[in-house]
Amino acid sequence: MPDLLQLTHIRKTFPGVIALDDVSFSIRAGEIHTLLGENGAGKSTLMNVLTGFYAPDSGGLQLDGQPVRFASPRDSLALGIGMVHQHFMLVPAHSVLENIMIALQGVPLLFSRRQQRARIEQTIEEFGLDLDLNAPVWKLSIGAQQWIELIKLLLRDCRLLILDEPTAVLTPQEAAKLFQVLLRLKQQGKCIIFISHKMREVMEISDRVTILKKGRSVTTLEKGEFDQKKLAGLMIGGDRIPEWQKSLPFSEEIVLEIENLSVRNDRGLADLDNFSLRLQKGEILGIAGNGQKALAEALTGLTRVESGRVLAAGEDITRSCARSSYIAGIAHIPEDRKAIGIVPDLSLDENLILKNFRAKCFRNGVFQSRSAIRDNAEEKIGQFAIKAGPPGSPVRLLSGGNIQKVIIARELSEQPAVLVALYPTRGLDIGSAEYVHKVIADGASNGMSTILISEDLDELYKICDRIAVIFRGRLIGYADPTSSSRAEIGLMMSGEVSA
Amino acid sequence: MLEILLDATVRAGTPILFATLGAIINERAGIINLGIEGLMLIGALSGFAATFASGSLLLGVLAAFVAAFIAGSIHALITVQLRGNQIVSGLALTMFGIGITALFGRGVVGQTIDGFERHAVPLLAQLPLVGKAFFNQDWLIYFSFLLVALIWFFFYRTRWGLELRTIGENPAAADACGIPVNRYRFLAVACGSGFVGIGGAYLSLASTPMWIENMTAGRGWIAVALVIFASWSSFRALFGAYLFGGITAMQLRFQAMGTTVSAHILQMLPYIFTIVVLVISTIRLQKGASQQPGNLGLPYDREDRK
Ligand SMILES: Nc1ncnc2c1ncn2[C@@H]1O[C@H](COP(=O)(O)OP(=O)(O)OP(=O)(O)O)[C@@H](O)[C@H]1O
Ligand SMILES: [Mg+2]
């Protein structure tokens, strides 16, 4: 089949950073082409070059054999190249309808809302989504926001669709739904560039895989030439995957007790309903099923608790705010990292000490100790393999996965008694995900208890001592990852069996 | 009595209304414009000069729009194309406006023209109480009513308006959809400035048909504040502008009635009142969701990560 698009020797630098060194690869008509690479390898940058967001320093693009230059995303859209960005391009204050309409083609200057709405509703129904078109986007969950972005792209008539980590915030069921759509588009002869760190998905959907490492394209493999091991090896290259061991049996001591907790969401529905849970010292407790997020928010004080109590070491912390729950030892890795995880304009060094900037070791009397803060950053950069820009540059310039690492490094710096980890490995490459697991497991050996909330059953199976299953906001029961099968947990999650 | 007061309210509020509407268009596109005071002066002088020279009021209004459009383009060039600091550029524009109108205005100081005359709208002008105040006015005031509705319609019922609002909230999102961010922003700043200029021209063509140096007397700054009070909505801007106008009218009446309160204190009243209302309304806004465009005051650079 002919190549639809060819990239030759693309290079892109930012002040102090070589984001893309030398990248060449090509995309054929009617294929799903996966880009694989570590956090900060340059995947998003490359896609931004491809859509005209970034102007490359050198190198060229060829579409259908003709050289093209994109001065702006407008040019690339005109030639049928559309993209879902890793960081959402949405207007939080606008309604879902307005956000989608802005991306539609052929909306007349004076449009009829009713007509546009009907057109959009039809697509939403096709995907079986539950989206209120009048709701402002800031009220929606991050998964719903991802769907809005996908719908924006799918409603456009594009030849080449670029999806930058679309599945990072989707549940496995939602991802499966997306893949059906992608396969259908492929059959229609469209090309798709897909980016993900989830190996299972990459294996499932890719026709070809191109591996990017440190801004260079390493190789492109055809279907059948690769398996998970080989891809991981190529992606990581010389780097080592950290090794860890699960902690020893934990003690009987109870560090956190949740009694009959009820939480309602904006719509007045119960996210948690008389939910009770006990966490033992040194335990890694996984949480599966819906209502996970409400639990994390209630524990960290981000949501109002309707009734019930949370006891930390026997002390009632239900009504204390986020900061005092942290003192009780609950650290928090927020879900929406760009919105609440970091201060975008502060530097990496500063973001790493947001929680403990008052500590003695970062001060000289009333002044900050720049050198201590810098040393702390150096240490964290090394430990978590953060790909940082030039010192002092704002943290928002980092790649998505690296921002996630900054948050984790900061949250774990205090050695909390209880760690509430909400999707901690979302968007991390396999090496980094492994490192986060290692930190959690090592923490457990030192007596830290973890509540690990994840959509990914593989992850829960791998590191949890117990898995608590929630259904309709109630605790259905606990499952033991060493003895219960996935099918059993699946049944529990759908509320059919209790363990 | 009340009728007269209401009439004075509308006449005093109209220049501020135009200026506030212009500023809202600027800020909806995400650009702060502190040059309103300067733009009003430029509008006032060029409007007056053009009418003085040609004898046509329509030409005066057009000249005010065009001159302020051009002056606003300087602000647009600096803040949109060159991504300069919007506060600094806006303040400079005000200084520029004050200076240049003082310089070129010398030639027409003391000259007079025939200003806008009242035209009663049939039927509506007969309404009790509000009829005279709102429907026995001049063409510019009728135009301001129309503009309030048109701006609302533009922002909420047209594709361009939606695109412009998106740019003010998140220019990267607009850019990703292929909307030419800079072109829209430039036009919004320039056209918005043009309407501010008409606000200035109202002073020199209708309120007091002559040119007086610095005749805006801080009304531009009130407009800047009213934008926030109006939470970027044209209908609320109408209310805010008339509030200011109403207090102005009232204090003038007090003065005319010869109270013992110092005239200086009375002249302060509209400003104080507007500031107090502004403070109260922003406290209220902070509790609910703010209407402020999400990207207000920030330059847009496609290659910068937000
Ligand atoms: N606008 C920018 N300004 C400065 N540096 C940038 C910019 N965009 C990207 N970079 C840098 O380029 C490098 C590559 O980033 P990129 O976002 O492409 O990584 P990625 O492969 O998408 O990683 P992830 O898997 O974490 O999303 C990073 O070091 C990042 O800091
Ligand atoms: Mg990326």
Side-chain angles (χ1 to χ4, degrees):
Chain A
M1 233 179 269
D3 287 345
L4 177 82
L5 185 77
Q6 244 184 337
L7 294 92
T8 37
H9 303 295
I10 302 278
R11 185 181 166 86
K12 175 72 190 168
T13 56
F14 295 103
V17 190
I18 302 176
L20 296 174
D21 194 3
D22 178 1
V23 179
S24 309
F25 80 104
S26 64
I27 302 145
R28 294 177 195 154
E31 74 167 343
I32 297 183
H33 196 123
T34 299
L35 267 185
L36 207 58
E38 291 176 296
N39 295 129
K43 304 179 293 296
S44 301
T45 307
L46 183 62
M47 293 305 104
N48 280 327
V49 167
L50 223 169
T51 50
F53 247 96
Y54 295 166
D57 298 356
S58 62
L61 303 175
Q62 282 185 313
L63 192 71
D64 294 327
Q66 302 293 320
V68 282
R69 245 199 90 249
F70 298 139
S72 73
R74 189 184 176 81
D75 297 350
S76 63
L77 277 172
L79 291 176
I81 301 179
M83 171 163 174
V84 168
H85 291 261
Q86 184 174 10
H87 296 297
F88 300 151
M89 296 290 189
L90 295 172
V91 178
H94 286 183
S95 68
V96 176
L97 180 70
E98 288 175 323
N99 268 287
I100 295 178
M101 223 152 48
I102 198 85
L104 292 183
Q105 292 155 301
V107 177
L109 176 59
L110 299 175
F111 55 83
S112 133
R113 262 178 198 249
R114 193 156 346 117
Q115 232 168 13
Q116 301 302 331
R117 178 186 295 269
R119 182 170 159 199
I120 294 166
E121 256 164 8
Q122 198 189 340
T123 315
I124 290 181
E125 246 160 58
E126 271 173 40
F127 294 116
L129 299 174
D130 172 31
L131 267 183
D132 174 9
L133 284 184
N134 289 325
V137 162
W138 61 267
K139 275 196 180 172
L140 301 181
S141 74
I142 194 151
Q145 296 187 14
Q146 180 73 66
W147 276 110
I148 299 174
E149 283 286 46
L150 288 166
I151 288 171
K152 273 167 67 179
L153 178 65
L154 296 174
L155 278 171
R156 277 199 103 103
D157 185 26
C158 289
R159 285 205 284 169
L160 171 61
L161 294 88
I162 302 171
L163 302 165
D164 194 350
E165 298 197 33
T167 56
V169 299
L170 298 183
T171 62
Q173 295 83 335
E174 287 176 316
K177 202 151 63 180
L178 174 64
F179 287 170
Q180 277 175 8
V181 179
L182 295 187
L183 289 174
R184 204 174 66 211
L185 287 170
K186 181 177 120 172
Q187 255 142 37
Q188 293 168 7
K190 316 225 163 180
C191 317
I192 292 152
I193 300 183
F194 176 72
I195 298 177
S196 171
H197 291 292
K198 299 181 183 170
M199 286 306 213
R200 198 187 270 262
E201 295 175 353
V202 175
M203 292 303 297
E204 183 187 332
I205 196 147
S206 325
D207 293 319
R208 289 200 296 166
V209 177
T210 292
I211 289 161
L212 231 59
K213 184 156 176 62
K214 304 210 165 109
R216 290 170 162 271
S217 43
V218 179
T219 176
T220 300
L221 300 171
E222 303 273 341
K223 198 174 188 107
E225 286 177 359
F226 55 82
D227 56 36
Q228 290 201 20
K229 256 232 178 76
K230 180 159 185 190
L231 291 179
L234 281 169
M235 193 170 115
I236 288 171
D239 305 347
R240 259 181 352 123
I241 289 197
E243 285 171 13
W244 53 274
Q245 279 245 301
K246 222 160 161 171
S247 62
L248 303 166
F250 41 90
S251 76
E252 293 282 286
E253 190 190 332
I254 289 180
V255 287
L256 192 79
E257 202 174 347
I258 300 171
E259 285 176 359
N260 306 326
L261 200 67
S262 296
V263 173
R264 276 175 200 285
N265 58 22
D266 294 343
R267 293 194 228 164
L269 304 171
D271 274 346
L272 288 180
D273 181 16
N274 259 322
F275 180 84
S276 300
L277 189 80
R278 288 170 155 214
L279 184 67
Q280 284 161 294
K281 190 175 164 77
E283 177 184 28
I284 304 175
L285 177 64
I287 309 273
N290 46 18
Q292 301 169 315
K293 197 182 156 206
L295 176 63
E297 288 184 349
L299 284 178
T300 51
L302 286 176
T303 276
R304 215 172 65 88
V305 171
E306 181 132 308
S307 63
R309 295 201 301 168
V310 180
L311 302 173
E315 192 187 331
D316 191 342
I317 59 159
T318 323
R319 313 250 166 229
S320 55
C321 60
R323 183 176 166 79
S324 44
S325 24
Y326 180 70
I327 294 167
I330 299 175
H332 175 223
I333 300 174
E335 178 194 34
D336 184 358
R337 51 188 181 229
K338 272 258 163 148
I340 40 182
I342 52 162
V343 184
D345 287 331
L346 289 187
S347 71
L348 174 70
D349 304 18
E350 288 160 332
N351 267 286
L352 281 171
I353 58 155
L354 283 184
K355 284 216 151 164
N356 47 4
F357 63 93
R358 281 189 222 154
K360 276 252 156 53
C361 58
F362 296 129
R363 286 190 298 154
N364 290 325
V366 295
F367 299 106
Q368 287 186 320
S369 162
R370 282 280 146 191
S371 57
I373 293 172
R374 183 69 222 156
D375 290 346
N376 172 61
E378 296 279 3
E379 187 191 325
K380 295 278 153 45
I381 289 172
Q383 281 175 349
F384 286 84
I386 300 172
K387 189 162 184 275
S393 62
V395 74
R396 66 184 149 85
L397 298 179
L398 298 191
S399 81
N402 282 300
I403 289 176
Q404 177 82 343
K405 292 186 199 175
V406 173
I407 296 170
I408 294 173
R410 181 186 69 216
E411 293 300 325
L412 292 173
S413 57
E414 289 270 84
Q415 281 150 6
V418 175
L419 173 73
V420 177
L422 188 60
Y423 315 120
T425 55
R426 210 175 235 185
L428 291 193
D429 61 40
I430 40 179
S432 313
E434 208 61 21
Y435 186 73
V436 169
H437 291 160
K438 176 181 153 65
V439 172
I440 291 176
D442 288 352
S445 312
N446 295 328
M448 177 177 84
S449 316
T450 303
I451 293 184
L452 176 66
I453 295 177
S454 172
E455 302 277 10
D456 184 1
L457 272 185
D458 290 335
E459 183 174 22
L460 294 178
Y461 262 90
K462 206 161 87 191
I463 80 163
C464 292
D465 300 309
R466 284 192 301 167
I467 299 174
V469 183
I470 312 183
F471 175 69
R472 297 229 169 106
R474 285 170 179 270
L475 180 67
I476 294 288
Y478 294 97
D480 182 350
T482 52
S483 59
S484 5
S485 71
R486 269 159 205 282
E488 280 173 62
I489 293 194
L491 281 179
M492 283 169 77
M493 278 166 75
S494 57
E496 286 177 35
V497 210
S498 64
Chain B
M1 162 77 196
L2 202 59
E3 249 181 2
I4 299 170
L5 210 58
L6 220 51
D7 176 71
T9 296
V10 173
R11 296 187 74 82
T14 297
I16 296 169
L17 176 59
F18 274 114
T20 310
L21 292 176
I24 286 176
I25 298 174
N26 272 267
E27 297 206 356
R28 278 285 187 181
I31 305 287
I32 297 175
N33 191 341
L34 295 186
I36 305 295
E37 177 82 1
L39 290 167
M40 280 181 92
L41 282 170
I42 290 172
L45 176 63
S46 41
F48 181 80
T51 305
F52 180 67
S54 70
S56 154
L57 284 165
L58 180 65
L59 270 185
V61 174
L62 279 180
F65 183 89
V66 171
F69 184 98
I70 292 169
S73 302
I74 303 173
H75 184 58
L77 183 74
I78 291 171
T79 58
V80 179
Q81 255 71 19
L82 306 177
R83 297 195 280 270
N85 184 310
Q86 300 176 9
I87 307 293
V88 174
S89 167
L91 288 175
L93 183 56
T94 286
M95 310 275 204
F96 170 73
I98 294 174
I100 198 165
T101 52
L103 180 66
F104 288 109
R106 262 186 245 152
V108 286
V109 168
Q111 307 287 359
T112 52
I113 51 165
D114 293 328
F116 273 99
E117 279 165 24
R118 292 175 190 260
H119 291 273
V121 181
L123 294 180
L124 286 176
Q126 254 87 65
L127 288 175
L129 198 62
V130 292
K132 279 254 161 52
F134 290 95
F135 300 107
N136 186 19
Q137 293 289 11
D138 54 58
W139 286 114
L140 267 185
I141 288 183
Y142 300 143
F143 177 56
S144 76
F145 298 161
L146 187 69
L147 197 60
V148 168
L150 271 182
I151 287 176
W152 176 85
F153 185 83
F154 173 77
F155 278 130
Y156 293 99
R157 286 291 177 273
T158 69
R159 185 184 168 93
W160 290 345
L162 175 62
E163 290 177 343
L164 193 63
R165 281 189 296 134
T166 302
I167 288 170
E169 293 281 351
N170 183 355
D175 199 10
C177 296
I179 299 163
V181 174
N182 284 359
R183 200 181 310 159
Y184 268 70
R185 278 194 155 171
F186 193 102
L187 280 176
V189 171
C191 289
S193 301
F195 290 125
V196 175
I198 295 184
Y202 189 83
L203 291 171
S204 62
L205 298 183
S207 301
T208 45
M210 58 170 90
W211 164 252
I212 305 162
E213 193 182 319
N214 206 4
M215 71 188 301
T216 51
R219 286 181 181 84
W221 294 111
I222 291 296
V224 169
L226 277 182
V227 175
I228 303 167
F229 166 55
S231 52
W232 294 268
S233 133
S234 56
F235 284 106
R236 287 186 52 129
L238 182 90
F239 175 67
Y242 288 167
L243 180 78
F244 182 85
I247 312 269
T248 310
M250 218 142 44
Q251 64 93 5
L252 282 175
R253 276 220 76 82
F254 279 137
Q255 285 191 42
M257 286 182 335
T259 53
T260 49
V261 185
S262 150
H264 294 294
I265 303 248
L266 287 174
Q267 278 164 6
M268 272 160 58
L269 279 181
Y271 299 88
I272 292 178
F273 208 83
T274 309
I275 288 171
V276 169
V277 171
L278 179 76
V279 169
I280 293 170
S281 69
T282 34
I283 293 173
R284 194 188 53 77
L285 268 186
Q286 269 162 11
K287 284 185 193 142
S290 157
Q291 299 290 307
Q292 171 166 329
N295 225 265
L296 186 61
L298 303 175
Y300 175 58
D301 177 1
R302 187 180 285 144
E303 300 225 344
D304 191 5
R305 273 194 170 165
K306 276 281 144 56

